[in-house]
Structure formats: C-alpha cells, structure tokens
Amino acid sequence: MEQKENFKEYTNGEITVVWKPSKCIHAGVCVKTLPEVYDPKGKPWIKPEMATTEQLKSQIMKCPSGALSFYMNRKS
C-alpha cells in the first residue's frame, strides 16, 4: 500500500509554498536565505507574506532536498 505523502502549504495570495517534512534534511538554506519568512520556532513556521514572490521562488529553487516547492495561484 502506497503511503500518502505528508505536506503543508503556505500562501501569500500569489504563490503557494509547499513543504514536505519527510524530504527535509534541515540544511537551513531557507532560514539563512529568508529568516523573515522561515522561523523554525514560529507558528506557522513559514510566513510567505514576509517576502516577495520572486524572493520566495529564488530561495525555494536552492532547497537542497526538494522539501520546498511552490506553485503559482490562479488569478480570480
């Protein structure tokens, strides 16, 4: 039986950040790059509204494990 992958989504309205805890290797690239967005002690720990969509995309592309990904939200 295939296990459903666990993930969480966080949005700033324009972009949605997807985090897959099972893939996360805790390299800390996200926290070092955008500390105002990624706060491991915070609830929620990802606050995408604290950065621009371009900043988020650039940082997510640097995630070494692929635990972070994103998709663009549809404009209504």
Side-chain angles (χ1 to χ4, degrees), residues 28-43:
V29 174
C30 55
V31 177
K32 289 182 195 104
T33 307
L34 291 174
E36 62 280 9
V37 173
Y38 301 95
D39 177 5
K41 294 180 177 74
K43 294 260 188 230

Side-chain angles (χ1 to χ4, degrees), residues 4 8 21 34-35 37-38 41 50 65 68 71:
K4 188 177 183 318
K8 294 195 174 8
L34 291 174
V37 173
Y38 301 95
K41 294 180 177 74
M50 300 300 288
S65 67
L68 291 171
Y71 62 87

Side-chain angles (χ1 to χ4, degrees), residues 1 3 6 12 14-15 23 41-42 55-57 59-60 62 66 70 76:
M1 189 169 137
Q3 186 180 349
N6 182 28
N12 69 3
E14 187 175 40
I15 187 173
K23 280 188 161 184
K41 294 180 177 74
Q55 288 172 314
L56 290 165
K57 284 163 65 172
Q59 180 280 306
I60 290 165
K62 295 180 178 111
F70 68 89
S76 40

